[in-house]
């Protein structure tokens, strides 16, 4: 099996038009029996010029024992990182898609608390569906990208950070 190494190609392109890229990826969606989490990281042009941290991949491709070290490297590489949660009760009450949106907005608001201005950037969302805008993220520019967690270093960072949390 060939392991695809995430790159910064898309982020660098997006940073020509936006001050910041916020990458989001969810974890915990498969089980549907517990909470779900969405990791979010902010990458600016300075970080997008840096080398991708060693071992960074989609969290599903990083061996469990190595994830904490890779997550620590990823958190040190990005401008800011956060994990937002939606509880199992919220999933039961409003459904998985709405819960993912709530968790993503909570993570993005944590980035805001760290000095990131999400409205100045673009949200790179792993997947093919924007679940952030319908949850209340109408002021955000959201771009879903299929396999972003595999191909984009920022989304891989969000993936690993969320998985470790």
């Amino acid at each position: 099996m060939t392991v695809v190494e995430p790159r910064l190609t898309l982020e660098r392109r997006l940073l020509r038009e936006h001050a910041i890229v916020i990458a989001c990826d969810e974890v915990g969606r498969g089980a549907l029996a517990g909470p779900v989490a969405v990791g979010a990281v902010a990458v600016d042009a300075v970080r997008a010029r840096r080398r991708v941290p060693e071992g960074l991949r989609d969290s599903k491709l990083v061996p469990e024992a190595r994830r904490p070290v890779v997550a620590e490297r990823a958190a040190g590489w990005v401008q800011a990182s956060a994990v937002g949660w939606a509880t199992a009760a919220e999933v039961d009450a409003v459904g998985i898609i709405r819960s993912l949106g709530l968790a993503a907005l909570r993570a993005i608001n944590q980035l805001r608390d760290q000095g990131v201005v999400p409205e100045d950037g673009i949200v790179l969302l792993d997947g093919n569906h924007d679940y952030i805008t319908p949850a209340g993220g109408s002021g955000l520019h959201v771009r879903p990208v299929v396999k972003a967690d595999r191909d984009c270093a920022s989304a891989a960072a969000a993936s690993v950070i969320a998985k470790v949390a």
Side-chain angles (χ1 to χ4, degrees):
M1 176 173 103
T2 303
V3 175
V4 176
E5 300 217 5
R7 302 174 57 105
L8 287 162
T9 307
L10 180 57
E11 291 92 335
R12 288 174 179 151
R13 191 170 350 125
L14 293 170
L15 285 165
R16 289 186 208 135
E17 300 174 23
H18 303 277
I20 194 154
V21 171
I22 296 171
C24 293
D25 189 31
E26 49 78 20
V27 297
R29 181 177 180 173
L32 284 184
V36 292
V38 174
V41 301
V43 177
D44 58 13
V46 171
R47 275 125 187 121
R49 284 192 293 270
R50 293 181 182 170
R51 168 178 253 126
V52 174
E54 182 185 342
L56 183 62
R57 310 261 185 296
D58 171 9
S59 65
K60 296 179 289 295
L61 301 176
V62 178
E64 187 174 356
R66 290 185 35 97
R67 284 183 195 143
V69 171
V70 174
E72 186 176 323
R73 283 185 200 136
W77 170 66
V78 299
Q79 178 181 345
S81 64
V83 179
W85 295 87
T87 66
E90 287 174 311
V91 174
D92 290 344
V94 300
I96 186 64
I97 298 298
R98 176 89 172 157
S99 295
L100 288 170
L102 294 172
L105 289 173
R106 290 168 182 158
I108 290 168
N109 282 331
Q110 289 174 44
L111 294 179
R112 187 184 310 279
D113 293 343
Q114 297 174 55
V116 174
V117 181
E119 294 77 13
D120 289 348
I122 185 167
V123 178
L124 179 62
L125 179 60
D126 177 58
N128 62 0
H129 177 72
D130 173 9
Y131 51 74
I132 297 173
T133 303
S138 59
L140 302 173
H141 183 163
V142 179
R143 179 173 174 178
V145 175
V146 175
K147 299 289 183 195
D149 56 355
R150 181 194 68 189
D151 299 333
C152 301
S154 61
S159 171
V160 173
I161 289 168
K163 183 78 83 176
V164 169

